[in-house]
Amino acid sequence: MSKKVILFTLQTFSTTGGIQKMTRTLGHSLQQLAKTNKGNFELWSAYDKQTDLMPQYLQANAFKGFGVNRVNFAFKAVSKSTMPDVIILSHINLASVGLFIKLVHPKCKVWLIAHGIEVWRPLSFVKKYLLKRCDKVICVSNFTREQMLKRHSVSADICRVLNNAIDPFMKLPVTFEKPKHLLERYKLTTNQPVIFTLTRLASTEQYKGYEHVIEAISNLKQHFPGIKYILSGKYDTKEEDRIKKLIIHHNVAEQVILTGFIEEAELTDYFLLADLFVLPSKKEGFGIVFIEALACGLPVICGNADGSIDAIRNGELGHAINADDTCELSKCITEYLESPLTAVKRKQLQKQCLSHFNEIDYMQKLQLLLNE
């Protein structure tokens, strides 16, 4: 990749979410390729400050944080005297920047990363026009690619799939014991079956399916008397009220543990605490959390109508269900819990996951895209 590449992002280091995690891995991979091939790589962030940089991902001289100064970000991006060979837009909301660059520097290749719901909806004229001028649209899943072709008539020739990879700096377990500090925190025993969901709990995004898990727990608590459901993620007040009403309605106050936001440093421990990860969502572009769970040896149940299918390799690594069918969800959870999760099973699942979603393979696919 003896090329100059700039990755333009909204946020990469100052907050944590699926897109931010993907962008950090993408940035790290592109920097490694640049080093190997004597190329040049930079990551520019519209909202991150220079001090937000996580140095394990990027060298300081490869990062420019504009700290919410979008005007300065856009001006410098377009007016850069030495334009790179390729610019990559990490989000469709950077469409205007990409278009200006393409108009001023027509030889510069412009790529767009297409994640999920941000491109599965009607788009503005500017965003539609960007799709016509893009040299590549990199989709994180086959489902997102299908949506780009169907909804926006993007050329199949430029629309490529590049599945997300495990963060190269994620702490992966070597042994698979349940963490004592979390057992003590939540007053659990090692024999209690634990179902885990981690997602954003937003009143504006009621498509994640955890309400169906709460209902399923009410059906399962007789068969599994010690069952616990740990529901984690940052929530707003409106959604917190809705979840608590659901818990009361389904009479599962003893079974459901609502933790709120959990620190990234404890993420692996939560995956180890659980016996099953469940997120029957209907609008996941890919679902990085699924491969994070799998990389910790935790089985996964997901929805069957979105990009989650790619994360479980079409059923090879997990089970996809009708996200609206609580009976199917209950049956699937039962099947997993009745087959005890051993350390050997967890290790094998981890190995399978990492064979598909590792950074080395991710970098090789990036290299092929850049060489075209």
Side-chain angles (χ1 to χ4, degrees):
M1 188 192 77
S2 57
K3 296 183 178 181
K4 295 180 180 178
V5 178
I6 297 182
L7 173 59
F8 290 113
T9 76
L10 294 173
Q11 283 177 305
T12 303
F13 302 112
S14 57
T15 188
T16 295
I19 291 177
Q20 289 79 18
K21 286 185 175 184
M22 178 270 179
T23 307
R24 291 198 284 264
T25 300
L26 176 60
H28 182 264
S29 296
L30 287 169
Q31 180 174 258
Q32 297 305 110
L33 287 174
K35 286 181 179 179
T36 302
N37 297 292
K38 297 181 181 179
N40 183 274
F41 171 71
E42 294 178 6
L43 188 155
W44 291 23
S45 173
Y47 294 144
D48 291 329
K49 301 187 294 295
Q50 200 68 28
T51 53
D52 290 324
L53 173 65
M54 297 177 180
Q56 66 268 38
Y57 292 95
L58 286 180
Q59 295 175 341
N61 61 5
F63 174 66
K64 293 185 180 181
F66 290 82
V68 196
N69 192 341
R70 290 189 68 185
V71 174
N72 191 33
F73 170 82
F75 175 76
K76 288 193 174 181
V78 175
S79 63
K80 186 173 174 63
S81 57
T82 306
M83 190 52 56
D85 300 293
V86 179
I87 67 158
I88 304 174
L89 308 175
S90 72
H91 199 285
I92 189 72
N93 285 352
L94 290 163
S96 57
V97 172
L99 269 179
F100 275 120
I101 289 174
K102 194 66 175 174
L103 290 170
V104 176
H105 306 278
K107 291 185 179 180
C108 178
K109 303 297 184 183
V110 175
W111 297 9
L112 171 71
I113 307 294
H115 301 276
I117 57 173
E118 88 284 359
V119 291
W120 300 350
R121 54 176 65 134
L123 299 176
S124 68
F125 171 80
V126 171
K127 292 175 181 178
K128 286 181 179 178
Y129 190 54
L130 172 74
L131 294 178
K132 291 181 180 179
R133 298 299 306 273
C134 272
D135 296 280
K136 279 190 176 68
V137 177
I138 309 299
C139 303
V140 300
S141 66
N142 285 282
F143 184 83
T144 290
R145 183 177 187 273
E146 290 169 10
Q147 296 301 304
M148 297 303 289
L149 298 180
K150 182 172 72 174
R151 292 174 180 267
H152 308 303
S153 302
V154 177
S155 169
D157 293 336
I158 68 165
C159 213
R160 307 301 180 83
V161 175
L162 178 63
N163 288 149
N164 295 326
I166 292 290
D167 185 321
F169 299 101
M170 182 181 178
K171 181 182 72 175
L172 297 178
V174 178
T175 59
F176 297 94
E177 294 84 11
K178 295 195 174 192
K180 290 182 180 179
H181 71 283
L182 290 183
L183 290 170
E184 292 173 358
R185 183 184 302 174
Y186 298 116
K187 298 179 173 57
L188 303 174
T189 68
T190 55
N191 295 323
Q192 285 181 274
V194 176
I195 311 300
F196 181 43
T197 294
L198 173 65
T199 188
R200 183 170 54 246
L201 310 175
S203 56
T204 56
E205 298 180 10
Q206 294 181 11
Y207 53 77
K208 299 289 189 176
Y210 43 80
E211 62 268 32
H212 299 309
V213 186
I214 292 172
E215 182 179 351
I217 295 296
S218 70
N219 300 329
L220 295 168
K221 66 180 183 179
Q222 299 302 323
H223 189 52
F224 302 100
I227 193 169
K228 295 290 183 180
Y229 177 39
I230 297 180
L231 177 56
S232 297
K234 186 177 180 180
Y235 48 74
D236 55 51
T237 302
K238 186 176 179 181
E239 188 64 3
E240 180 187 14
D241 290 342
R242 187 178 82 94
I243 292 169
K244 287 182 176 179
K245 286 176 182 177
L246 286 169
I247 290 170
I248 293 170
H249 175 74
H250 293 292
N251 192 28
V252 288
E254 293 298 315
Q255 286 75 36
V256 179
I257 300 171
L258 191 61
T259 71
F261 176 79
I262 61 173
E263 295 291 340
E264 194 72 16
E266 283 198 309
L267 181 58
T268 296
D269 289 341
Y270 274 87
F271 288 135
L272 289 172
L273 178 67
D275 299 283
L276 183 62
F277 185 86
V278 183
L279 183 62
S281 179
K282 292 186 284 189
K283 293 184 180 179
E284 297 299 312
F286 175 82
I288 284 180
V289 70
F290 294 122
I291 61 173
E292 289 179 331
L294 291 164
C296 293
L298 184 62
V300 161
I301 297 175
C302 64
N304 65 3
D306 60 11
S308 307
I309 297 295
D310 277 30
I312 64 164
R313 300 273 303 172
N314 295 306
E316 176 188 340
L317 301 178
H319 199 109
I321 63 163
N322 180 342
D324 292 320
D325 191 335
T326 306
C327 290
E328 185 182 1
L329 174 60
S330 298
K331 182 174 180 290
C332 193
I333 292 174
T334 298
E335 289 173 356
Y336 272 108
L337 295 185
E338 286 184 340
S339 177
L341 183 60
T342 64
V344 173
K345 287 182 180 179
R346 295 193 76 138
K347 185 66 178 177
Q348 179 59 30
L349 188 56
Q350 180 189 62
K351 183 179 178 181
Q352 284 180 274
C353 172
L354 294 177
S355 71
H356 296 296
F357 299 112
N358 62 83
E359 191 188 23
I360 293 175
D361 287 348
Y362 185 73
M363 287 169 59
Q364 289 175 346
K365 293 169 186 174
L366 272 175
Q367 181 74 74
L368 290 173
L369 290 170
L370 287 162
N371 287 345
E372 290 178 352

